Tab-separated table of all heavy atoms in Angstrom:
chain	number	residue	atom	x	y	z
A	297	VAL	N	-4.550	-5.121	4.802
A	297	VAL	CA	-3.683	-4.136	5.436
A	297	VAL	C	-4.275	-2.758	5.143
A	297	VAL	O	-4.575	-2.439	3.993
A	297	VAL	CB	-2.236	-4.215	4.897
A	297	VAL	CG1	-1.383	-3.108	5.484
A	297	VAL	CG2	-1.629	-5.576	5.194
A	298	LEU	N	-4.451	-1.957	6.184
A	298	LEU	CA	-4.977	-0.606	6.053
A	298	LEU	C	-3.821	0.379	6.178
A	298	LEU	O	-3.022	0.288	7.111
A	298	LEU	CB	-6.013	-0.340	7.147
A	298	LEU	CG	-6.667	1.036	7.152
A	298	LEU	CD1	-7.547	1.211	5.916
A	298	LEU	CD2	-7.489	1.214	8.414
A	299	ILE	N	-3.740	1.314	5.230
A	299	ILE	CA	-2.656	2.298	5.232
A	299	ILE	C	-3.244	3.697	5.325
A	299	ILE	O	-4.085	4.070	4.511
A	299	ILE	CB	-1.786	2.200	3.964
A	299	ILE	CG1	-1.182	0.803	3.819
A	299	ILE	CG2	-0.693	3.256	3.984
A	299	ILE	CD1	-0.410	0.602	2.525
A	300	THR	N	-2.802	4.471	6.296
A	300	THR	CA	-3.116	5.898	6.322
A	300	THR	C	-1.983	6.599	5.584
A	300	THR	O	-0.824	6.209	5.707
A	300	THR	CB	-3.219	6.453	7.753
A	300	THR	OG1	-1.936	6.399	8.383
A	300	THR	CG2	-4.221	5.676	8.589
A	301	GLY	N	-2.311	7.596	4.790
A	301	GLY	CA	-1.272	8.264	4.004
A	301	GLY	C	-0.843	7.448	2.811
A	301	GLY	O	0.285	7.566	2.335
A	302	GLY	N	-1.731	6.617	2.310
A	302	GLY	CA	-1.399	5.730	1.199
A	302	GLY	C	-1.086	6.431	-0.105
A	302	GLY	O	-0.404	5.878	-0.958
A	303	SER	N	-1.577	7.654	-0.280
A	303	SER	CA	-1.352	8.356	-1.544
A	303	SER	C	0.021	9.023	-1.625
A	303	SER	O	0.420	9.486	-2.693
A	303	SER	CB	-2.436	9.415	-1.768
A	303	SER	OG	-2.369	10.407	-0.767
A	304	GLY	N	0.754	9.025	-0.542
A	304	GLY	CA	2.098	9.599	-0.542
A	304	GLY	C	3.103	8.682	-1.226
A	304	GLY	O	2.791	7.555	-1.607
A	305	LEU	N	4.313	9.186	-1.379
A	305	LEU	CA	5.368	8.439	-2.074
A	305	LEU	C	5.600	7.056	-1.444
A	305	LEU	O	5.614	6.039	-2.140
A	305	LEU	CB	6.670	9.250	-2.071
A	305	LEU	CG	7.846	8.645	-2.823
A	305	LEU	CD1	7.530	8.551	-4.312
A	305	LEU	CD2	9.094	9.477	-2.607
A	306	LEU	N	5.778	7.007	-0.130
A	306	LEU	CA	6.005	5.722	0.544
A	306	LEU	C	4.773	4.832	0.495
A	306	LEU	O	4.873	3.623	0.275
A	306	LEU	CB	6.420	5.947	2.000
A	306	LEU	CG	7.782	6.571	2.231
A	306	LEU	CD1	7.999	6.834	3.716
A	306	LEU	CD2	8.881	5.688	1.689
A	307	GLY	N	3.604	5.443	0.706
A	307	GLY	CA	2.367	4.672	0.706
A	307	GLY	C	2.084	4.008	-0.629
A	307	GLY	O	1.628	2.860	-0.677
A	308	GLN	N	2.340	4.708	-1.712
A	308	GLN	CA	2.109	4.139	-3.035
A	308	GLN	C	3.033	2.961	-3.303
A	308	GLN	O	2.605	1.924	-3.828
A	308	GLN	CB	2.297	5.209	-4.112
A	308	GLN	CG	1.202	6.240	-4.114
A	308	GLN	CD	1.409	7.278	-5.199
A	308	GLN	OE1	1.840	6.949	-6.311
A	308	GLN	NE2	1.113	8.526	-4.890
A	309	GLN	N	4.293	3.103	-2.948
A	309	GLN	CA	5.247	2.012	-3.161
A	309	GLN	C	4.919	0.820	-2.272
A	309	GLN	O	4.970	-0.331	-2.711
A	309	GLN	CB	6.679	2.495	-2.906
A	309	GLN	CG	7.730	1.470	-3.234
A	309	GLN	CD	7.739	1.057	-4.699
A	309	GLN	OE1	7.469	1.833	-5.597
A	309	GLN	NE2	8.046	-0.197	-4.953
A	310	LEU	N	4.569	1.085	-1.020
A	310	LEU	CA	4.213	0.008	-0.097
A	310	LEU	C	2.958	-0.715	-0.573
A	310	LEU	O	2.885	-1.945	-0.512
A	310	LEU	CB	4.001	0.576	1.313
A	310	LEU	CG	3.657	-0.427	2.402
A	310	LEU	CD1	4.737	-1.488	2.546
A	310	LEU	CD2	3.448	0.297	3.721
A	311	THR	N	1.984	0.037	-1.069
A	311	THR	CA	0.757	-0.564	-1.605
A	311	THR	C	1.093	-1.540	-2.722
A	311	THR	O	0.606	-2.679	-2.727
A	311	THR	CB	-0.195	0.533	-2.121
A	311	THR	OG1	-0.618	1.340	-1.018
A	311	THR	CG2	-1.413	-0.069	-2.808
A	312	LYS	N	1.918	-1.114	-3.638
A	312	LYS	CA	2.312	-1.967	-4.768
A	312	LYS	C	2.990	-3.252	-4.293
A	312	LYS	O	2.660	-4.344	-4.736
A	312	LYS	CB	3.248	-1.183	-5.691
A	312	LYS	CG	3.712	-1.938	-6.896
A	312	LYS	CD	4.647	-1.091	-7.742
A	312	LYS	CE	5.220	-1.899	-8.881
A	312	LYS	NZ	6.202	-1.143	-9.666
A	313	GLN	N	3.923	-3.114	-3.354
A	313	GLN	CA	4.645	-4.286	-2.860
A	313	GLN	C	3.732	-5.246	-2.095
A	313	GLN	O	3.849	-6.468	-2.241
A	313	GLN	CB	5.816	-3.848	-1.980
A	313	GLN	CG	6.920	-3.198	-2.771
A	313	GLN	CD	8.090	-2.747	-1.918
A	313	GLN	OE1	8.046	-2.782	-0.690
A	313	GLN	NE2	9.150	-2.294	-2.563
A	314	LEU	N	2.828	-4.697	-1.294
A	314	LEU	CA	1.899	-5.557	-0.556
A	314	LEU	C	0.961	-6.300	-1.503
A	314	LEU	O	0.706	-7.497	-1.321
A	314	LEU	CB	1.091	-4.733	0.450
A	314	LEU	CG	1.843	-4.263	1.687
A	314	LEU	CD1	1.021	-3.225	2.459
A	314	LEU	CD2	2.182	-5.443	2.593
A	315	GLN	N	0.459	-5.616	-2.516
A	315	GLN	CA	-0.419	-6.266	-3.483
A	315	GLN	C	0.320	-7.368	-4.237
A	315	GLN	O	-0.232	-8.445	-4.461
A	315	GLN	CB	-0.995	-5.244	-4.460
A	315	GLN	CG	-2.039	-4.359	-3.815
A	315	GLN	CD	-2.540	-3.284	-4.763
A	315	GLN	OE1	-1.785	-2.725	-5.550
A	315	GLN	NE2	-3.829	-2.990	-4.661
A	316	GLU	N	1.566	-7.113	-4.604
A	316	GLU	CA	2.363	-8.138	-5.298
A	316	GLU	C	2.602	-9.353	-4.413
A	316	GLU	O	2.759	-10.465	-4.908
A	316	GLU	CB	3.689	-7.545	-5.762
A	316	GLU	CG	3.545	-6.580	-6.927
A	316	GLU	CD	4.832	-5.852	-7.280
A	316	GLU	OE1	5.852	-6.003	-6.566
A	316	GLU	OE2	4.817	-5.106	-8.280
A	317	ALA	N	2.603	-9.135	-3.085
A	317	ALA	CA	2.791	-10.235	-2.131
A	317	ALA	C	1.468	-10.919	-1.782
A	317	ALA	O	1.448	-11.830	-0.951
A	317	ALA	CB	3.467	-9.716	-0.864
A	318	GLY	N	0.364	-10.464	-2.394
A	318	GLY	CA	-0.919	-11.134	-2.198
A	318	GLY	C	-1.835	-10.530	-1.150
A	318	GLY	O	-2.855	-11.128	-0.816
A	319	TYR	N	-1.495	-9.361	-0.625
A	319	TYR	CA	-2.332	-8.701	0.383
A	319	TYR	C	-3.429	-7.873	-0.277
A	319	TYR	O	-3.252	-7.346	-1.374
A	319	TYR	CB	-1.494	-7.773	1.270
A	319	TYR	CG	-0.605	-8.495	2.231
A	319	TYR	CD1	0.680	-8.894	1.849
A	319	TYR	CD2	-1.016	-8.783	3.527
A	319	TYR	CE1	1.512	-9.561	2.728
A	319	TYR	CE2	-0.193	-9.442	4.414
A	319	TYR	CZ	1.064	-9.838	4.007
A	319	TYR	OH	1.892	-10.500	4.883
A	320	SER	N	-4.531	-7.741	0.433
A	320	SER	CA	-5.579	-6.796	0.078
A	320	SER	C	-5.235	-5.494	0.791
A	320	SER	O	-5.040	-5.489	2.005
A	320	SER	CB	-6.927	-7.327	0.553
A	320	SER	OG	-7.910	-6.347	0.458
A	321	VAL	N	-5.157	-4.396	0.047
A	321	VAL	CA	-4.736	-3.129	0.627
A	321	VAL	C	-5.893	-2.133	0.599
A	321	VAL	O	-6.611	-2.030	-0.396
A	321	VAL	CB	-3.523	-2.535	-0.130
A	321	VAL	CG1	-3.110	-1.201	0.469
A	321	VAL	CG2	-2.350	-3.514	-0.088
A	322	ALA	N	-6.061	-1.427	1.705
A	322	ALA	CA	-7.063	-0.365	1.806
A	322	ALA	C	-6.367	0.898	2.289
A	322	ALA	O	-5.384	0.835	3.025
A	322	ALA	CB	-8.167	-0.760	2.776
A	323	TRP	N	-6.894	2.049	1.843
A	323	TRP	CA	-6.365	3.343	2.269
A	323	TRP	C	-7.398	4.052	3.120
A	323	TRP	O	-8.585	4.020	2.828
A	323	TRP	CB	-6.065	4.227	1.083
A	323	TRP	CG	-4.857	3.863	0.276
A	323	TRP	CD1	-4.016	2.802	0.465
A	323	TRP	CD2	-4.358	4.563	-0.852
A	323	TRP	NE1	-3.031	2.814	-0.488
A	323	TRP	CE2	-3.214	3.883	-1.313
A	323	TRP	CE3	-4.767	5.688	-1.530
A	323	TRP	CZ2	-2.477	4.299	-2.408
A	323	TRP	CZ3	-4.030	6.112	-2.629
A	323	TRP	CH2	-2.894	5.428	-3.062
A	324	LEU	N	-6.924	4.721	4.126
A	324	LEU	CA	-7.762	5.549	4.987
A	324	LEU	C	-7.297	6.986	4.832
A	324	LEU	O	-6.128	7.289	5.084
A	324	LEU	CB	-7.627	5.101	6.447
A	324	LEU	CG	-8.477	5.850	7.464
A	324	LEU	CD1	-9.953	5.607	7.222
A	324	LEU	CD2	-8.106	5.401	8.874
């Protein structure tokens, strides 16, 4: 899953939840 704006408040929380669910997360 690629996230733009990953360093923001929502992006950081979403990154954590996706990783806990087994996804590979990338930021753009």
Side-chain angles (χ1 to χ4, degrees):
V297 175
L298 180 67
I299 302 175
T300 66
S303 64
L305 183 64
L306 292 175
Q308 289 181 39
Q309 186 62 34
L310 181 59
T311 295
K312 181 181 174 184
Q313 290 180 352
L314 286 168
Q315 288 176 322
E316 288 173 355
Y319 288 88
S320 169
V321 179
W323 287 2
L324 182 65

